[in-house]
C-alpha cells in the first residue's frame, strides 16, 4: 500500500467516526467536482472531501488533520476567482467543505442582524430575509451558488459596495474553528465593542488561511421601497467621476450602483443582443446608475431629472435615458450582466481586478490603454466596473486566431496582467480589489507588496498557524511563512 | 547615581541626538501634565516625554527604547477614558507623544479622503476639511483636544456612529511605527483592497499596544445641507427602540443621532439650568433625534412631522417638540451635553460604557435598574446614550454624604461596574463599547472574555511585540502575554 493511500485510509477511517458515517468523500468520482475551481483554471488533489454538519465536527476534523499532518482546505460555494479553495498538490490535503452547515440560526429584526452558518447560499439567505422584511445587501454574479463562508473569507465586494460596503462592513461577528482546532465563538451582534482587539477582522478576507469560518453575524437593512435606473453617455472617464460626486452630494447614501462601461465594451455586448442600443453610441463612455431608498416621499426619477439636466447643460454628460419602468431598467442592467458572456464569445478574455483612488481612475485608464494597445495588436481593450470603488476591470479580449495556442494565450495574459498591476500600484492602487489573492496572485503579491507588509502577514500567519496546516500555499508564499519562523520581528 | 537616573540620562542623551536638540522633556515640571489622564484617575511615571516631529524620529525613538529596554507609551491628545496613555509604574518607560506630528498631508476631494498625521486635533481637522467643502464626521466631547492618533488607537465612537460608523469605518489606511522600529506605510486611500490581510485593522483600537500610529488616511463625506432636531417623550425604552426602527426605515441613512435620556437624568440636568423644560416631564424616557442630509429637496421637519404624528397616534410616543430653528436645536442639545457636568455637581458619579444588542436594551435596563437600586440605597441611577448602537451609559450618582470616603466610593463604584458589566455580558453585550480597555478594564476583561479570545489577543501581541515593549500593561495583562510565550497555539 502506498504512503498516500495509507494516509487516506487512516484519514477517512477517523473522519467517518467523527461524522458518524456520513459526509466523507474519497473516491475520484465523488471528489472531482470539489477539486477544480468553477472557471476550470485550477485543479488540485486531496485525500478526501469532508462535509461536516456541525461546528464540533469541523473542530474534530481540524484536530485530526493536524495530528496526521494533513492540510485543511476550507471550501464553501467554490465560486472564487483566484483558486483560493483549490488544494495545492505538494501537501497531502483534505477539503473541508462547509455546504452542509447551512442553517439560519437567528434573525433579530429589532437589532437588524442575522446569524447564518457558513454554508448558507447567498440567494437563499437574501430570500429568507426578504420574507422577514429585511435586506442583506451583498449581491454579486454568483449569488445563486456562493456561500456565506466564502463571502466572509474573500471579503466579497459586488455591485452594492458603494452604498453598503464590502463584506467586512457587513460582518458583526464570526464563529471560527482555529488551526489548533479550538472553536472561537465571536458571534456578537453588537454595533460597538472596544473590549480588546477586534479579532473577527483577521478572518475576513484571510481566504481560510487562519481558520475555518463556520458562521457569521451579519448586518441587515430596510428593504428599499423606491428605486430608479438610468444610463448616461459621457465625453470622458473624468466626467463620470465628476458626475458621481454630484450624485454623492445630491443623493447621499442612495446611489446603489454606478457602473462604467466603455464604448467598445458596450458595442460588443450589443452585437450579441438583438435589441437596438438604448441611446446613440457616439460617446466613448457610458454609466449605468441605480438609485434606491426607503425614504418617505422620495422619487428617484425626480432626482435623476434634476441632476442629469444640470449635467447636460454643463457638458458633464452627452445624453441620458431614464428607465420608465422596471422592465426597461432590467433591459439596461442586462447590458452590464452579459459583459463576461459577450467577451468570452468574442475571444480569449482576461479581466483584471485592480483598484486605484477615484481621483486617479482617469490617468490609470489613460496609461493602461496606451500601453496595452501598443503591446497587443490583435486584441480589444475594454473597461467595465465600479467607479465609486475605484475598481475598474480592465478587460483584454485576445483574438483567438492570432493567439492560437494555450501557451501564447497564457503568456499574453500574464504580460497584460503585469502591465495592469504595475500601472495600478504606481498610482497607489491594489492588484486585487475584490477577488483576493488565492493561488493566482501569490507571485504578484511578492512583487508588488512591501517587505514590511509581507513580513507582518507572515507573522500573523505564524502566530495562528505555526505548522501552516490551514489552506497552505494561498495568500502567502510558503517560503515566506517558513522564513518568518527564524526571523525576529 | 541611581539606576533610574542613569538610564534616564542615557535615554535623554540619545533622544536629544535623534530629535536634534528639541522635544525631549525630562524634568518633573515639564513632564507632569503628560503623566496623568484628564480625569485625574491615573498617574504614571516615565523617564522622559518625547515630542518627535517626524515619523523617522518616531522610528528611531522606538529602536532606542528597544535597545535600552525602555517601554514606549504612545500618547496623542491624552483625552482617553480608561488610562490607556498613562505609563504603568513597574517598567521604565518613555511617553512618545505625537502632538507635533500635526500636518494634514493631503486632501483628495474627488476621492473623498484626507491623510492626516496622528497629532492633528479633531476640531482643527474638521475645520480644515469644512473649508474644503467636506465633512469628517467623527464628533465627540473632546473634539477640541483629542487627536487623530488617539481616535484611531481607541476606535473612537461619539455621537454620529449611527450614521457614519466608528473610527474603524472611517479609516482607509494607516502609517505605523512597529515595535521593531520599522515604518509601515499603509496609507492607502482605496475603497477596495483584497491583496492580502487587512493589516490596518490590527492597529485600530489596539490602544498603542501593537505600534505607534503616526498618520491615517480617512474617509470624507459631503457636508449635510439640511438638518433638523426634535425631542420626544416616551412611555418605555422599548418604544424608543421601536421609534428608531421607524426612522431607520423612513429616513434611512439620515438619522445622525438618536440619544436617549431617562427622566431622572433630564430632571437633574434641568435643575442646573434656569430654563423651563422643553416639554412636560411626565414620561419616563426622552429621546433627542437629529436628522441631516445633503439631498436635494429634502426637509427634515417634514419627516419629523409625518413620523412623529403617526407615532403619537400609535402610542409609541407621548409628546414631541420639533426645534423650529438652530437656536432652539442648540438648546435641546445643551441638555444632552451638560449631563456629565450636572451629575458631577450632584454627587460622586460613575458612568459605564457597555453595549448590548439593540433588541436587548429594554431587558438590560430593567435588570440593571432593579439590581442597582436594590444594592445602593443612597444613589441615583440614570441612563443616557446611543440607542442605535445599543450603547447606553448606565450612570450611578452616589450621595457624597453617605459615601463619605474615597475608599467607600471606590468600593461602591467597583461593585456597581461589576454588576453592570455582568448584566451586559449575560445579554451578549460588551463591557466597553467605545472607551476601550486601557488600564481600567484589564481585570474585567480577564473575567468576562473567553479564554480563546484572550489567547488569540496574546498571540497577536506576541507576534508583533515579543518583548512587550509597546504600551505594556494596557489592553492585555502582562501575565497573559508572558504565558503565551510558552504555549503552543
Amino acid at each position: 500500500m502506498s504512503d498516500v493511500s495509507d494516509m487516506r485510509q487512516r484519514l477517512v477511517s477517523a473522519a467517518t467516526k467523527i461524522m458518524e458515517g456520513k459526509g466523507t468523500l474519497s473516491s475520484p468520482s465523488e471528489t472531482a467536482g470539489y477539486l477544480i475551481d468553477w472557471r476550470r483554471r485550477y485543479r488540485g488533489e486531496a485525500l478526501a472531501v469532508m462535509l461536516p454538519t456541525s461546528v464540533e465536527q469541523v473542530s474534530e476534523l481540524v484536530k485530526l488533520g493536524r495530528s496526521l499532518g494533513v492540510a485543511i482546505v476550507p471550501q464553501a460555494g467554490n465560486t472564487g476567482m483566484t483558486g483560493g479553495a483549490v488544494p495545492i498538490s505538494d501537501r497531502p490535503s483534505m477539503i473541508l467543505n462547509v455546504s452542509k452547515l447551512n442553517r439560519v440560526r437567528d434573525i433579530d429584526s429589532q437589532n437588524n442582524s442575522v446569524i447564518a452558518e457558513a454554508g448558507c447560499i447567498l440567494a437563499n439567505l437574501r430570500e429568507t430575509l426578504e420574507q422577514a422584511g429585511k435586506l442583506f445587501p451583498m449581491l454579486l454574479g454568483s449569488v445563486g451558488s456562493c456561500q456565506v463562508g466564502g463571502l466572509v473569507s474573500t471579503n466579497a465586494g459586488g455591485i452594492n459596495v458603494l452604498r453598503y460596503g464590502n463584506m467586512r462592513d457587513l460582518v458583526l461577528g464570526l464563529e471560527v474553528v482555529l488551526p489548533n482546532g479550538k472553536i472561537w465563538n465571536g458571534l456578537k451582534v453588537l454595533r460597538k465593542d472596544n473590549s480588546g482587539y477586534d479579532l473577527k477582522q483577521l478572518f475576513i478576507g484571510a481566504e481560510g488561511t487562519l481558520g475555518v469560518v463556520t458562521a457569521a453575524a451579519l448586518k441587515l437593512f430596510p428593504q428599499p421601497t423606491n428605486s430608479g435606473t438610468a444610463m448616461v453617455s459621457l465625453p470622458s472617464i473624468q466626467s463620470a467621476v465628476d458626475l458621481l460626486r454630484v450624485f454623492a452630494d445630491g443623493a447621499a447614501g442612495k446611489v446603489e450602483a454606478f457602473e462604467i462601461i466603455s464604448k467598445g465594451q458596450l458595442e460588443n455586448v450589443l452585437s450579441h443582443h438583438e435589441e437596438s442600443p438604448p441611446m446613440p453610441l457616439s460617446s466613448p463612455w457610458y454609466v449605468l446608475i441605480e438609485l434606491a431608498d426607503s425614504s418617505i416621499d422620495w422619487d428617484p426619477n425626480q432626482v435623476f431629472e434634476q441632476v442629469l439636466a444640470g449635467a447636460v447643460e454643463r457638458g458633464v454628460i452627452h445624453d441620458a435615458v431614464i428607465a420608465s419602468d422596471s422592465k426597461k431598467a432590467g433591459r439596461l442592467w442586462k447590458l452590464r450582466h452579459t459583459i463576461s458572456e459577450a467577451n468570452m464569445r468574442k475571444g480569449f478574455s482576461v479581466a483584471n481586478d485592480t483598484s486605484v483612488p477615484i481621483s486617479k481612475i482617469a490617468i490609470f485608464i489613460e496609461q493602461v490603454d496606451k500601453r496595452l494597445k501598443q503591446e497587443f495588436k490583435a486584441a480589444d481593450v475594454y473597461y467595465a466596473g465600479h467607479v465609486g470603488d475605484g475598481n475598474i476591470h480592465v478587460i483584454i479580449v485576445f483574438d483567438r486566431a492570432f493567439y492560437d495556442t494555450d501557451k501564447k494565450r497564457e503568456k499574453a495574459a500574464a504580460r497584460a496582467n503585469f502591465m495592469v498591476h504595475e500601472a495600478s500600484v504606481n498610482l497607489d492602487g491594489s492588484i486585487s480589489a475584490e477577488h483576493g489573492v488565492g493561488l493566482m496572485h501569490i507571485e504578484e503579491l511578492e512583487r508588488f507588496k512591501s517587505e514590511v507588509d509581507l513580513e507582518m502577514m507572515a507573522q500573523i500567519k505564524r502566530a495562528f498557524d505555526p505548522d501552516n496546516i490551514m489552506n497552505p500555499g494561498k495568500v502567502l508564499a510558503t517560503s515566506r511563512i517558513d522564513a518568518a519562523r527564524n526571523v525576529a520581528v
Side-chain angles (χ1 to χ4, degrees), chain A:
Chain A
M1 196 186 278
S2 75
D3 282 0
V4 167
S5 67
D6 180 46
M7 189 178 265
R8 174 178 287 127
Q9 202 179 325
R10 281 195 287 158
L11 177 69
V12 167
S13 155
T16 303
K17 244 180 242 171
I18 289 170
M19 297 198 288
E20 294 165 352
K22 285 181 205 157
T24 307
L25 314 179
S26 58
S27 75
S29 65
E30 290 174 318
T31 61
Y34 298 89
L35 296 171
I36 188 166
D37 72 317
W38 73 276
R39 298 206 301 179
R40 312 201 151 258
R41 181 160 178 177
Y42 299 104
R43 187 187 302 271
E45 288 169 30
L47 299 172
V49 175
M50 311 298 181
L51 296 165
T53 55
S54 72
V55 61
E56 290 76 19
Q57 288 182 359
V58 175
S59 164
E60 291 305 314
L61 289 170
V62 170
K63 286 178 192 164
L64 174 64
R66 201 178 159 87
S67 74
L68 294 176
V70 173
I72 293 117
V73 181
Q75 188 180 79
N78 196 18
T79 63
M81 303 293 274
T82 58
V86 176
I88 52 170
S89 309
D90 56 351
R91 284 276 293 271
S93 305
M94 67 167 117
I95 288 180
L96 206 160
N97 185 294
V98 297
S99 299
K100 293 204 184 295
L101 287 165
N102 58 5
R103 284 186 311 139
V104 174
R105 292 193 196 162
D106 187 49
I107 299 174
D108 185 339
S109 289
Q110 281 183 14
N111 194 53
N112 264 345
S113 61
V114 61
I115 295 180
E117 291 184 338
C120 291
I121 291 173
L122 178 56
N124 299 350
L125 181 63
R126 283 174 55 100
E127 201 188 314
T128 302
L129 292 164
E130 200 179 327
Q131 282 162 14
K134 297 291 180 182
L135 171 74
F136 179 59
M138 179 55 57
L139 189 55
L140 65 176
S142 58
V143 59
S145 44
C146 67
Q147 299 172 7
V148 166
L151 292 167
V152 170
S153 295
T154 60
N155 183 28
I159 63 165
N160 289 341
V161 172
L162 186 58
R163 175 164 184 174
Y164 297 101
N166 296 302
M167 198 65 186
R168 187 179 301 280
D169 302 298
L170 301 173
V171 171
L172 292 167
L174 292 178
E175 180 186 78
V176 179
V177 175
L178 303 175
N180 59 14
K182 288 186 185 173
I183 299 167
W184 176 55
N185 180 356
L187 282 176
K188 298 267 184 185
V189 293
L190 302 172
R191 254 60 187 182
K192 266 186 182 173
D193 183 7
N194 278 344
S195 62
Y197 303 156
D198 191 354
L199 298 167
K200 67 178 178 288
Q201 303 296 345
L202 279 168
F203 303 101
I204 302 169
E207 304 185 36
T209 60
L210 300 177
V212 187
V213 172
T214 52
L218 303 169
K219 278 186 204 169
L220 302 180
F221 294 84
Q223 285 281 356
T225 46
N226 311 310
S227 68
T229 307
M231 191 172 217
V232 300
S233 58
L234 310 99
S236 68
I237 187 97
Q238 187 55 48
S239 302
V241 174
D242 295 343
L243 184 65
L244 173 64
R245 278 295 143 258
V246 179
F247 275 103
D249 290 357
K254 290 184 278 288
V255 189
E256 297 239 319
F258 199 90
E259 300 282 299
I260 199 154
I261 307 176
S262 64
K263 185 187 179 195
Q265 179 64 79
L266 190 57
E267 284 171 338
N268 187 40
V269 169
L270 286 164
S271 79
H272 291 277
H273 286 290
E274 289 177 13
E275 287 181 53
S276 55
M279 56 176 63
L281 292 186
S282 48
S283 302
W285 295 97
Y286 299 82
V287 173
L288 197 53
I289 308 165
E290 182 93 6
L291 301 179
D293 206 37
S294 60
S295 284
I296 299 160
D297 294 340
W298 179 79
D299 179 1
N301 288 353
Q302 203 181 320
V303 176
F304 272 137
E305 277 161 28
Q306 237 175 308
V307 171
L308 296 178
V312 169
E313 262 173 44
R314 292 195 315 281
V316 174
I317 65 172
H318 284 154
D319 203 355
V321 178
I322 302 170
S324 54
D325 57 40
S326 66
K327 201 176 154 194
K328 282 177 187 153
R331 221 176 286 159
L332 290 177
W333 270 107
K334 195 180 166 196
L335 299 174
R336 172 72 181 89
H337 290 313
T338 47
I339 283 178
S340 297
E341 195 189 326
N343 291 343
M344 285 220 297
R345 283 197 215 158
K346 185 175 169 76
F348 175 67
S349 153
V350 172
N352 275 275
D353 176 41
T354 55
S355 62
V356 293
I358 295 163
S359 49
K360 293 179 179 172
I361 293 177
I363 181 80
F364 169 70
I365 290 185
E366 190 188 316
Q367 288 181 358
V368 296
D369 202 65
K370 196 173 153 195
R371 289 179 206 168
L372 290 170
K373 283 176 179 165
Q374 269 176 358
E375 182 87 10
F376 304 106
K377 301 298 177 192
D380 289 300
V381 182
Y382 300 150
Y383 304 91
H386 326 289
V387 176
D389 314 330
N391 178 200
I392 311 295
H393 301 290
V394 179
I395 305 158
I396 307 110
V397 183
F398 295 99
D399 179 2
R400 280 190 217 272
F402 186 85
Y403 297 92
D404 58 352
T405 65
D406 272 357
K407 202 176 155 187
K408 277 188 202 169
R409 286 194 285 268
E410 284 298 331
K411 194 180 156 195
R415 176 76 189 136
N417 287 345
F418 176 78
M419 290 170 78
V420 176
H421 291 168
E422 191 181 45
S424 170
V425 170
N426 285 343
L427 292 167
D428 302 315
S430 164
I431 65 164
S432 183
E434 58 181 3
H435 296 164
V437 179
L439 278 169
M440 189 190 280
H441 294 310
I442 293 253
E443 277 175 43
E444 295 282 85
L445 213 66
E446 285 283 327
R447 202 192 308 251
F448 287 116
K449 281 258 174 187
S450 78
E451 272 301 300
V452 178
D453 274 89
L454 291 164
E455 277 171 27
M456 278 168 45
M457 286 172 61
Q459 288 305 125
I460 294 168
K461 172 72 173 171
R462 275 274 297 149
F464 279 79
D465 185 18
D467 302 319
N468 194 16
I469 201 94
M470 197 58 80
N471 212 7
K474 311 296 165 54
V475 184
L476 265 178
T478 300
S479 57
R480 188 164 285 278
I481 300 166
D482 291 343
R485 283 173 208 255
N486 308 313
V487 173
V489 196

